[in-house]
Amino acid sequence: QVQLVASGGGLVQPGGSLRLSCAASGLTFNLYFMRWYRQAPGKERELVAHIDSVGGITNYVDSVKGRFTISRDNAKNTVYLQMNSLKPEDTAVYYCFAVRPSNTAYSYWGQGTQVTVSS
């Protein structure tokens, strides 16, 4: 059974930092692209960051470029999202997502972790 367990969310002041983690189990982690999505209240879920299976290619939504960094440790089956210079508009539930590029039918969501940026 595939599980993606996200952690690291919380309440932080504007300008602060958080590091999200997503631990995967039940899949061959190094065969999967990993992504972080977020969903704010009343808004659609949006793709925040993407990393390929070996960590060589990353992509970000424009609103987080230069502030967020996605990375992965294939030995630990974990993907991370380092979030710096946080803004109130970053407030959302953050979800990790795994997708196998050779067969996108193999895709899985984590349970989400709340990030709140407020003074």
Side-chain angles (χ1 to χ4, degrees):
Q1 181 180 359
V2 175
Q3 282 192 309
L4 300 177
V5 180
S7 61
L11 173 63
V12 63
Q13 292 187 342
S17 297
L18 283 174
R19 188 194 196 201
L20 306 184
S21 299
C22 175
S25 60
L27 51 71
T28 305
F29 187 70
N30 62 10
L31 295 180
Y32 284 76
F33 290 175
M34 298 299 298
R35 297 170 180 165
W36 287 97
Y37 287 77
R38 66 185 179 188
Q39 188 166 21
K43 294 189 176 181
E44 293 187 354
R45 191 172 296 190
E46 70 167 346
L47 175 60
V48 175
H50 163 95
I51 189 166
D52 71 355
S53 56
V54 296
I57 297 174
T58 58
N59 298 102
Y60 302 90
V61 67
D62 285 347
S63 59
V64 308
K65 284 181 180 177
R67 300 188 299 121
F68 289 12
T69 302
I70 188 171
S71 62
R72 65 190 295 160
D73 185 338
N74 284 352
K76 295 182 178 180
N77 286 4
T78 301
V79 62
Y80 305 97
L81 186 67
Q82 177 67 44
M83 305 186 295
N84 298 329
S85 302
L86 282 161
K87 304 176 181 180
E89 51 264 42
D90 295 318
T91 295
V93 178
Y94 284 70
Y95 299 89
C96 57
F97 176 77
V99 60
R100 188 165 177 169
S102 61
N103 186 344
T104 58
Y106 292 93
S107 61
Y108 308 96
W109 288 96
Q111 89 285 6
T113 184
Q114 176 71 47
V115 172
T116 303
V117 184
S118 175
S119 55

